[in-house]
Amino acid sequence: MHNVLTILATASLLLSACCSGGDKAKAVYLDYEAPIEERVEDALSRMTLEEKVAIVHAQSKFSSAGVPRLGIPTLWTSDGPHGVRAEVLWDKWSQAKWTNDSCVAFPALTCLAASWDRELAALYGRSIGEEAKYRNKHVLLGPGVNIYRTPLNGRNFEYMGEDPYLASQMVVPYVKGVQSNNVAACVKHYALNNEEECRHTTDVDLSDRALYEIYLPAFKAAVQEGGAWSIMGAYNLYRGQHLCHNKRMLKDILKGEWGFDGAVVSDWGGAHDSDEAIANGLDLEFGTWTDGLFTGPSNVYAQYHLANPYLERLRDGRASEEELNDKCRRVLRLMMRTSMSGNNSLGEMCSEAHYAAARKIGAEGIVLLKNDNGLLPVQPGVRKIAVMGENAIKMMTVGGGSSSLKAQHEISPLKGISDRAAAAGIEVKYARAYVGSTDGSQDGITAGVKINEDRDAQTLAAEALELARESDLVIFVGGLNKNKRQDCEGCDREFLDLPYNQSELVAALAAVNPNIVVCLVSGNAVTMPWLDAVPSVVQAWYCGSEAGNSLADVLFGDVCPSGKLPFTFPAALADSPAHQEGMQFPNPDKVYYKEGIYVGYRWFEHKDIKPLFAFGHGLSYTSFQYGDAKLSSSTMKRGGSITVSIPVTNTGKCAGAEVVQLYVTDDECSVDRPEKELKGFEKVFLQPGESTVVKIALDESALQYFDEQAHRWVAEKGRFTVQVGSASDDIRSTASFELR
């Protein structure tokens, strides 16, 4: 019905424009077959100065104005990276209380990254793009690709991990999938948005090597390989200038070096200065002075930096119409690609296919961190399972900030496990075990499950221990949640340990029943002082609508786990590169990234620090044997490439997938370089006893570092070593070649 009304409304605009504008309007909106650039120029030539200014800033919380006189419709945006946000009122964050705006909640992007599966990234993008299309949203505010610099960042769960190559490989198919529906992906938060607590005041400085090698590649890939139609600026500053109007980042790098032809969108409340917003590359301004939290004056939208202040500067000569025309071209191009694309497909919402996609992505992203004694999958002799922990019943699709969703349904871990156990004739009993946060609401959306608790911690623990003693298997579902000071926008974690005394509880449970599986629901690393006493640990992530089913699929062996960590789990916070002695966190003012290019596994190997779990780590219910890596040539010529071939055999008893990871080492470099850098990976599915040869191509770009003095990418001639393995700390084979 929503789409029918939209079509009728658009038809009305067209009729009105035809009657009032004559042939001046005709080519703007009717000739969908004309090249986009011709349509953009035609529209621009017909617009008044006031109409031009009107389309470069918001007119409501989530929309910007069209040009009704010319039949150009309103441009609608929506959060977020994991699902299409519920409708809010025109000028408030309060719910509009529609009854048809529920969505499928897809797994958080940490889970998608943990799948190391480009095809799943494409499926994710297509599916969420179809939901956005159905809801008449033209710009989807996601995905996020900020680098995992610190495990305390409250928003890490929305991003794709610590490695720039992995994030680059996963973001491209996501963007293409979304945009295949003529819905724009808005890749965020560009850039260096690596902490939340002081995100409006943190002023980041770092070396150009770190900027170009670590923090920019995923954005560049989204633009140049994914063809992203919009980019969202970050809240924080870079070298003294806010990133929503930062000349170097937006004009020099994004639009200059990378040739980005789309629109730069401010984060909500991310614009702070009219002159900088006009001159430094911002194209579409949202949320100014409200910051998404507070209301402004009644005419707040007219007071935006790119609204009346812009008009004043245009009229008195302080701003040029040439600059305005560039912004308008970008916004019009965005409209022509989306709301005026001529794509009449309706998309689909809450379909069986989308739920199946969410379930599959969740299951393939779940990481089996530890599995001693073959405790998992659940063995045939198990007749009674004790499920415990607040996260077994707490809904996780609500909360966390702008990614909070109004999911049509959410399968809890308890329900997923109980349903699967019942099918196998296994009894399941539940104990709360601990109380964390009973709040399950945000912006008027509630989880629909009441988890209030009157019993004290001692009573809850005693009940859990008694149930553990009488059970064959204990499945503890804990971790973090999406409340403040955990995995949540706008604030950061205060410590790396599990909250709510969970570590003490896990240790006590393991003491009374050694057959215990700990499932961690989180988007961040945590410490595990109980690890030696627990045989099985599963990183379960935030898996969205089908979370419980995805988890049960893995626990019961319906899906052989194949997820690999997209970031390193440090044993202690002091081991993390962003938390060395003398380094402040959070940073209210200036922060210099002293670790430079040594982020994540690069740091741990550079400093010879043993992590709790390494980047790329993930176990399986089967086993894989690697043969010797073979190179197509012993030399690579400038501009050429070589192929690395790796025999892989499933030597176990069940079918499963393995992620073959390829790292490169520069053996003869004249500059400081990491011990190894991820430069290739392939995920292969094999039946028991089946073999294949994985082939990964490397070209000169895989060998380069960024030369700050020359401001260019450089690959030095000499010897390079490829290291192939199942994780960054589990190298199975090496081979060397010469670059000439």
Side-chain angles (χ1 to χ4, degrees):
M1 184 65 178
H2 180 72
N3 284 280
V4 172
L5 292 175
T6 300
I7 293 168
L8 290 174
T10 302
S12 176
L13 281 172
L14 300 180
L15 180 60
S16 173
C18 284
C19 294
S20 63
D23 53 83
K24 291 188 71 175
K26 181 171 60 176
V28 177
Y29 52 83
L30 290 180
D31 190 3
Y32 287 113
E33 299 302 319
I36 283 181
E37 294 309 310
E38 288 184 16
R39 297 169 61 203
V40 167
E41 293 304 320
D42 185 40
L44 187 64
S45 71
R46 300 167 187 267
M47 293 169 63
T48 66
L49 187 69
E50 290 74 17
E51 287 170 340
K52 290 178 182 179
V53 170
I55 71 168
V56 299
H57 65 83
Q59 64 171 358
S60 75
K61 286 293 185 192
F62 281 102
S63 73
S64 61
V67 187
R69 181 180 67 84
L70 300 179
I72 299 175
T74 291
L75 185 75
W76 286 98
T77 70
S78 178
D79 289 312
H82 308 141
V84 184
R85 189 171 182 160
E87 302 295 333
V88 299
L89 296 176
W90 183 263
D91 198 32
K92 297 180 180 179
W93 287 113
S94 305
Q95 295 302 298
K97 298 183 179 179
W98 289 18
T99 57
N100 62 347
D101 59 344
S102 298
C103 70
V104 172
F106 294 90
L109 292 186
T110 44
C111 180
L112 174 63
S115 75
W116 292 59
D117 192 319
R118 300 174 182 89
E119 292 183 3
L120 282 186
L123 174 64
Y124 194 128
R126 286 196 305 273
S127 301
I128 197 172
E130 288 168 353
E131 300 233 335
K133 182 74 173 180
Y134 185 87
R135 289 270 301 281
N136 197 37
K137 305 304 181 187
H138 309 127
V139 181
L140 185 74
L141 304 177
V145 290
N146 293 101
I147 291 296
Y148 189 108
R149 177 178 180 252
T150 162
L152 298 189
N153 181 8
R155 213 164 178 179
N156 278 335
F157 72 98
E158 290 189 50
Y159 301 143
M160 295 188 180
E162 71 187 26
D163 184 76
Y165 180 82
L166 175 61
S168 297
Q169 292 294 300
M170 298 301 287
V171 72
V172 168
Y174 181 114
V175 168
K176 289 182 175 179
V178 171
Q179 294 184 170
S180 67
N181 297 281
N182 291 102
V183 173
C186 188
V187 186
K188 62 185 188 182
H189 303 90
Y190 181 74
L192 305 170
N193 190 175
N194 307 117
E195 56 185 275
E196 288 292 300
E197 188 72 21
C198 305
R199 59 183 179 171
H200 294 284
T201 59
T202 300
D203 185 2
V204 177
D205 200 353
L206 75 170
S207 70
D208 268 7
R209 273 198 72 189
L211 178 68
Y212 277 83
E213 291 187 21
I214 304 296
Y215 297 98
L216 292 186
F219 290 103
K220 182 180 181 181
V223 168
Q224 294 191 333
E225 298 174 45
W229 294 337
S230 58
I231 294 285
M232 181 186 289
Y235 279 131
N236 51 294
L237 297 88
Y238 165 64
R239 296 185 179 176
Q241 203 168 61
H242 279 94
L243 280 157
C244 283
H245 37 72
N246 186 289
K247 180 181 181 299
R248 186 176 190 221
M249 295 295 284
L250 299 181
K251 298 198 79 171
D252 298 345
I253 297 175
L254 178 63
K255 296 178 178 180
E257 295 178 16
W258 300 350
F260 176 63
D261 70 354
V264 173
V265 180
S266 75
D267 204 340
W268 271 232
H272 299 270
D273 181 274
S274 296
D275 293 321
E276 288 188 1
I278 292 167
N280 291 350
L282 178 62
D283 301 312
L284 191 49
E285 180 185 5
F286 278 92
T288 299
W289 294 311
T290 65
D291 189 25
L293 300 174
F294 306 103
T295 57
S298 59
N299 64 340
V300 63
Y301 300 107
Q303 303 307 315
Y304 275 25
H305 296 292
L306 295 184
N308 284 350
Y310 199 1
L311 270 174
E312 293 170 5
R313 285 163 172 76
L314 287 161
R315 287 168 177 161
D316 66 20
R318 286 178 291 163
S320 73
E321 192 167 355
E322 182 181 358
E323 183 81 55
L324 173 62
N325 286 344
D326 179 70
K327 298 180 190 297
C328 289
R329 284 188 180 95
R330 293 172 180 277
V331 175
L332 287 168
R333 194 175 290 126
L334 181 62
M335 292 171 166
M336 301 299 179
R337 288 166 165 168
T338 58
S339 61
M340 301 183 71
S341 68
N343 179 351
N344 295 319
S345 65
L346 298 180
E348 57 185 61
M349 195 83 182
C350 298
S351 65
E352 290 184 10
H354 290 175
Y355 283 116
R359 183 169 181 168
K360 180 177 178 62
I361 294 164
E364 294 204 23
I366 288 173
V367 181
L368 182 62
L369 295 175
K370 183 180 179 182
N371 194 32
D372 291 353
N373 306 322
L375 190 61
L376 290 177
V378 175
Q379 298 300 303
V382 172
R383 308 314 308 160
K384 185 174 183 180
I385 294 176
V387 176
M388 52 188 65
E390 181 176 278
N391 282 0
I393 60 171
K394 185 175 175 64
M395 301 293 101
M396 295 296 188
T397 57
V398 176
S402 61
S403 63
S404 182
L405 296 170
K406 182 181 177 181
Q408 186 184 52
H409 75 243
E410 180 178 350
I411 305 299
S412 70
L414 177 59
K415 178 169 176 52
I417 293 168
S418 297
D419 289 350
R420 181 60 180 82
I426 301 173
E427 179 185 5
V428 172
K429 289 189 176 181
Y430 173 72
R432 177 70 173 265
Y434 72 92
V435 176
S437 172
T438 58
D439 181 23
S441 65
Q442 181 181 310
D443 299 333
I445 294 178
T446 58
V449 177
K450 293 183 179 180
I451 57 172
N452 294 335
E453 182 59 67
D454 296 326
R455 293 172 294 171
D456 61 27
Q458 185 175 359
T459 301
L460 291 171
E463 177 191 57
L465 290 170
E466 182 59 31
L467 181 59
R469 289 188 184 95
E470 62 186 41
S471 300
D472 299 320
L473 178 67
V474 175
I475 300 177
F476 180 87
V477 186
L480 307 177
N481 57 45
K482 291 187 178 179
N483 294 93
K484 289 188 179 298
R485 305 296 177 191
Q486 298 203 38
D487 287 326
C488 184
E489 178 184 357
C491 55
D492 296 305
R493 298 170 66 195
E494 296 177 306
F495 46 81
L496 191 60
D497 300 332
L498 283 170
Y500 316 128
N501 296 315
Q502 289 179 74
S503 285
E504 292 82 354
L505 182 58
V506 169
L509 289 168
V512 301
N513 190 337
N515 295 324
I516 180 172
V517 178
V518 175
C519 300
L520 296 170
V521 177
S522 75
N524 258 312
V526 299
T527 58
M528 304 181 197
W530 36 263
L531 185 60
D532 289 343
V534 171
S536 293
V537 183
V538 174
Q539 180 59 35
W541 312 112
Y542 299 112
C543 284
S545 288
E546 292 290 307
N549 287 332
S550 295
L551 180 59
D553 287 344
V554 171
L555 295 180
F556 285 85
D558 300 322
V559 172
C560 183
S562 60
K564 302 283 187 176
L565 288 180
F567 53 81
T568 305
F569 273 53
L573 184 61
D575 293 342
S576 179
H579 297 275
Q580 299 305 296
E581 186 176 354
M583 297 176 71
Q584 184 178 357
F585 186 89
N587 296 278
D589 299 306
K590 194 76 174 178
V591 54
Y592 189 82
Y593 287 8
K594 296 179 182 178
E595 72 279 7
I597 59 173
Y598 291 102
V599 174
Y601 67 92
R602 292 165 168 82
W603 170 266
F604 285 83
E605 297 197 354
H606 180 62
K607 295 294 184 180
D608 196 24
I609 299 172
K610 182 176 176 57
L612 188 64
F613 292 105
F615 172 79
H617 171 79
L619 305 178
S620 174
Y621 295 151
T622 190
S623 56
F624 297 93
Q625 180 178 329
Y626 286 57
D628 292 336
K630 303 293 185 183
L631 303 179
S632 59
S633 175
S634 61
T635 61
M636 181 193 293
K637 295 181 179 180
R638 295 286 182 181
S641 65
I642 62 169
T643 299
V644 185
S645 299
I646 311 103
V648 181
T649 301
N650 182 344
T651 55
K653 297 181 179 179
C654 69
E658 170 70 337
V659 179
V660 178
Q661 302 164 40
L662 187 151
Y663 299 84
V664 172
T665 300
D666 187 344
D667 297 319
E668 299 176 1
C669 51
S670 64
V671 298
D672 197 21
R673 299 195 69 175
E675 300 298 316
K676 64 168 72 83
E677 298 175 86
L678 182 71
K679 293 298 179 181
F681 65 86
E682 291 295 335
K683 190 170 188 176
V684 292
F685 183 86
L686 298 173
Q687 296 292 333
E690 184 181 3
S691 297
T692 191
V693 176
V694 175
K695 295 186 177 182
I696 301 175
L698 292 176
D699 60 24
E700 189 176 337
S701 66
L703 315 180
Q704 295 174 333
Y705 70 91
F706 189 78
D707 186 325
E708 295 181 324
Q709 281 66 44
H711 195 77
R712 63 185 180 90
W713 291 91
V714 173
E716 296 181 314
K717 67 179 182 179
R719 189 179 67 180
F720 289 82
T721 296
V722 295
Q723 302 184 50
V724 178
S726 186
S728 62
D729 67 343
D730 183 12
I731 300 302
R732 308 288 183 86
S733 180
T734 64
S736 297
F737 65 93
E738 296 282 332
L739 175 65
R740 293 182 177 176

